[in-house]
Amino acid sequence: MDTLLFKDPTIKSTIAENEQMLRQLFDACFDITFRSFKTPEGLATLIVYITGITDANKINNDLFRPDTHEWKDLFTDIHLSSVATSSVTHSILETADRLLQGHAAVFVEGHSRCVLLDLKAKEGRSIEEPAFEQTIRGPRDSFTEQVEVNASLIRKRLQSTRLKLEAFTVGSLSRTKTIVVYLDGLVDEKVLCQVKERIGQISTDAILDSGYMEEMIEDVSFTPFPQIQNTERPDIVAANLLEGKVVLLIDGTPDALIVPMTFWATFQSAEDYYERFIFSTLIRWTRLFLFIVSLYLPSLFVAITTFHSQLMPTNFLFSLTSAREGVPFPSVIEALLMEFMFEGLREAGIRLPKATGSAVSIVGALVIGQAAVQAGIVSAPMVIVVSMTGIASFAIPRYNMSVAFRILRFPMLLLSGMFGLYGVAIGTISLLIHLCRLESFGVPYLSPVSPLRFRQLNDVFVRSPRSKNSRIRNSLSLIRRRTGND
């Protein structure tokens, strides 16, 4: 708020002066409403609120009903039987700030203070099934854009006084409410302090989405790998809180941010902990294999067909040579062309309306691939390789991590096209060095594999039986050890 508008930004005893200051603050704002009337006791009263974010129906039905007799006690006991929450302020700037949050301000002639009524409109999207993190077994609810609703979904799963939710306001213009969630006695205090410190250092006009916050508090910006996990599922948030992690809820965003994040969280899904451990372990190995396929298959194909054809069986080499007969481009250009086309079709399928997006992407891939093979622009084996690569990338549970692998495929392709398998080795070593240097809020990105911690490996490559690796039991035991309670 601009304090230079007034010499003394305090509430006056006359309604006219207070109304003039508020009208000056909210100049050229059509949605600000001023309603003057007299109470049954004959007191001149002014109610100010912003249409749309304040519940006008509650004002009309509760405050303006004919049998309202609470006005005489409004400034004495600060309580209205028809209103859930109220408070008193002497500052016109605080009043304006509360108006922007959905409160209604009540001024009475002769009183140099204002009563603020919490009448925020509760309209919003209802709780629905997750749009991206779907599972066959498990809870079906997901976060919404209202941070209070998201907090309640976590409270329902962790009904403990150890669950702490600290509120921060970020953004000088948006005034976005950010909630830091953690389990007291279990959270890593160093990580928690870093989270609060980085949030306090944010200097920006607005936070419109969790992506804004993610970029501002992450450790390294120039990397394709996400260092903060995001999820739309409350059960995943509860599970990570039990592991001692910190969760951020941002108002207006239907997902949560979880820190710290490790590389291996990429291959974990909520359903891994709802199915039997044998099946979950098999699926996790499948994801790891498909990750390798999505990153290396095109580059290995280009390297072997271009530089190391002697590694292929003779019959396969003859079949491949006949299929590439007449193709005017080398394998690396052919692969890059097909990869760009596949990424274009995938992006088009996302941006188009749901009714036509999936149909256009599938039909477009079939038609363009078949037409390109018949025209002799690309070979049939390359179409198969690119298609298998695309399918493998869809098996990665975290969308932001699959995007990182999609980006890395292109430099790997260029290295394999220039140096063959040596280029693939160079790219792999560079990638490992980069991953080993990454950290997420002080936690090594490849932990617990690098540095190696044997006791924590029971939930990385395999999902141990619950009797051997119960998250809740281990969490409660850790709390008891830290607090000294039995």
Side-chain angles (χ1 to χ4, degrees):
M1 296 298 174
D2 192 354
T3 58
L4 298 179
L5 290 174
F6 319 111
K7 294 180 180 179
D8 182 18
T10 58
I11 295 176
K12 312 302 179 184
S13 59
T14 59
I15 287 180
E17 291 183 83
N18 297 328
E19 181 177 355
Q20 181 182 4
M21 288 189 289
L22 286 177
R23 287 187 180 277
Q24 188 175 356
L25 274 173
F26 291 96
D27 183 35
C29 297
F30 83 96
D31 54 350
I32 187 76
T33 302
F34 296 86
R35 299 181 66 172
S36 301
F37 63 99
K38 285 191 176 182
T39 68
E41 293 79 18
L43 297 174
T45 307
L46 171 68
I47 288 186
V48 186
Y49 61 92
I50 297 178
T51 306
I53 64 175
T54 304
D55 192 345
N57 292 328
K58 195 165 187 178
I59 293 177
N60 296 330
N61 297 334
D62 293 340
L63 300 185
F64 287 100
R65 67 177 190 267
D67 59 341
T68 299
H69 300 294
E70 292 87 358
W71 296 101
K72 61 182 179 180
D73 300 325
L74 188 61
F75 287 89
T76 56
D77 56 11
I78 319 173
H79 180 269
L80 291 174
S81 61
S82 59
V83 179
T85 306
S86 60
S87 58
V88 170
T89 182
H90 296 270
S91 171
I92 200 71
L93 299 180
E94 183 182 353
T95 301
D97 186 59
R98 292 292 188 89
L99 288 173
L100 293 169
Q101 298 176 20
H103 288 65
V106 181
F107 300 90
V108 175
E109 189 70 30
H111 293 271
S112 58
R113 45 189 166 170
C114 166
V115 172
L116 299 167
L117 308 178
D118 189 358
L119 301 176
K120 184 185 299 183
K122 302 300 182 182
E123 298 178 0
R125 185 168 60 90
S126 59
I127 299 174
E128 301 173 352
E129 289 191 20
F132 298 101
E133 299 177 79
Q134 298 181 354
T135 59
I136 297 176
R137 184 177 181 180
R140 305 285 179 172
D141 55 346
S142 64
F143 290 128
T144 69
E145 286 76 11
Q146 293 180 293
V147 70
E148 294 84 3
V149 175
N150 298 341
S152 68
L153 291 175
I154 301 175
R155 282 283 188 193
K156 289 178 181 179
R157 287 169 169 81
L158 299 175
Q159 300 181 18
S160 170
T161 56
R162 293 186 182 275
L163 181 64
K164 307 300 180 182
L165 298 94
E166 298 187 28
F168 297 84
T169 301
V170 185
S172 59
L173 297 180
S174 66
R175 308 289 296 170
T176 304
K177 182 185 293 185
T178 301
I179 309 296
V180 178
V181 188
Y182 59 93
L183 279 172
D184 188 26
L186 181 60
V187 65
D188 188 330
E189 295 293 342
K190 294 181 180 179
V191 174
L192 180 61
C193 291
Q194 285 193 49
V195 170
K196 293 180 180 180
E197 182 180 354
R198 295 184 190 186
I199 292 177
Q201 291 176 350
I202 294 178
S203 178
T204 184
D205 293 333
I207 297 291
L208 304 180
D209 184 76
S210 60
Y212 287 51
M213 179 75 69
E214 182 177 351
E215 287 192 38
M216 291 180 178
I217 65 174
E218 64 184 0
D219 290 65
V220 181
S221 298
F222 296 98
T223 177
F225 295 100
Q227 299 132 69
I228 299 175
Q229 179 181 344
N230 67 305
T231 181
E232 57 183 347
R233 297 183 61 96
D235 55 332
I236 293 181
V237 167
N240 281 274
L241 287 172
L242 289 169
E243 293 180 352
K245 296 184 179 181
V246 181
V247 174
L248 299 178
L249 301 177
I250 294 91
D251 196 17
T253 302
D255 54 30
L257 301 180
I258 303 173
V259 296
M261 176 186 179
T262 63
F263 177 79
W264 311 109
T266 305
F267 309 103
Q268 298 176 357
S269 173
E271 201 168 22
D272 293 353
Y273 303 94
Y274 303 140
E275 297 288 353
R276 291 182 58 81
F277 74 95
I278 297 177
F279 174 75
S280 300
T281 300
L282 177 62
I283 294 300
R284 191 169 294 182
W285 288 350
T286 304
R287 295 192 193 112
L288 287 167
F289 173 75
L290 292 176
F291 147 68
I292 296 173
V293 169
S294 68
L295 182 60
Y296 287 106
L297 183 59
S299 55
L300 288 176
F301 181 81
V302 169
I304 292 174
T305 56
T306 305
F307 295 96
H308 312 282
S309 57
Q310 69 275 10
L311 296 177
M312 293 185 292
T314 305
N315 293 334
F316 181 70
L317 179 61
F318 287 155
S319 176
L320 183 63
T321 303
S322 62
R324 285 190 46 81
E325 187 177 358
V327 176
F329 305 111
S331 295
V332 61
I333 301 299
E334 187 182 1
L336 288 172
L337 180 64
M338 289 300 299
E339 284 289 348
F340 274 116
M341 186 58 64
F342 189 88
E343 292 296 330
L345 287 172
R346 174 156 36 188
E347 188 68 17
I350 294 174
R351 304 305 166 195
L352 286 172
K354 290 183 178 179
T356 58
S358 59
V360 168
S361 59
I362 295 173
V363 174
L366 292 174
V367 172
I368 293 176
Q370 184 65 24
V373 171
Q374 290 181 353
I377 299 176
V378 296
S379 62
M382 183 59 71
V383 175
I384 297 174
V385 167
V386 173
S387 301
M388 291 177 61
T389 304
I391 293 172
S393 66
F394 290 133
I396 300 173
R398 305 294 168 202
Y399 175 76
N400 51 4
M401 187 64 82
S402 67
V403 171
F405 297 147
R406 285 160 55 186
I407 294 173
L408 291 172
R409 276 206 299 269
F410 291 98
M412 293 293 286
L413 270 173
L414 293 174
L415 287 172
S416 65
M418 291 186 293
F419 306 108
L421 291 178
Y422 298 104
V424 176
I426 292 171
T428 302
I429 293 172
S430 302
L431 179 60
L432 289 175
I433 293 174
H434 178 70
L435 289 173
C436 290
R437 295 179 62 183
L438 277 182
E439 288 187 350
S440 176
F441 288 83
V443 176
Y445 201 59
L446 292 181
S447 177
V449 176
S450 176
L452 185 62
R453 298 185 178 95
F454 285 103
R455 293 185 178 180
Q456 300 178 19
L457 289 177
N458 55 3
D459 195 28
V460 176
F461 301 108
V462 299
R463 205 275 278 175
S464 300
R466 197 165 298 279
S467 58
K468 303 294 183 181
N469 183 29
S470 175
R471 287 183 174 189
I472 297 178
R473 186 183 68 248
N474 293 343
S475 301
L476 294 177
S477 299
L478 183 58
I479 290 177
R480 294 190 185 100
R481 287 199 303 269
R482 291 184 176 180
T483 58
N485 298 327
D486 296 330

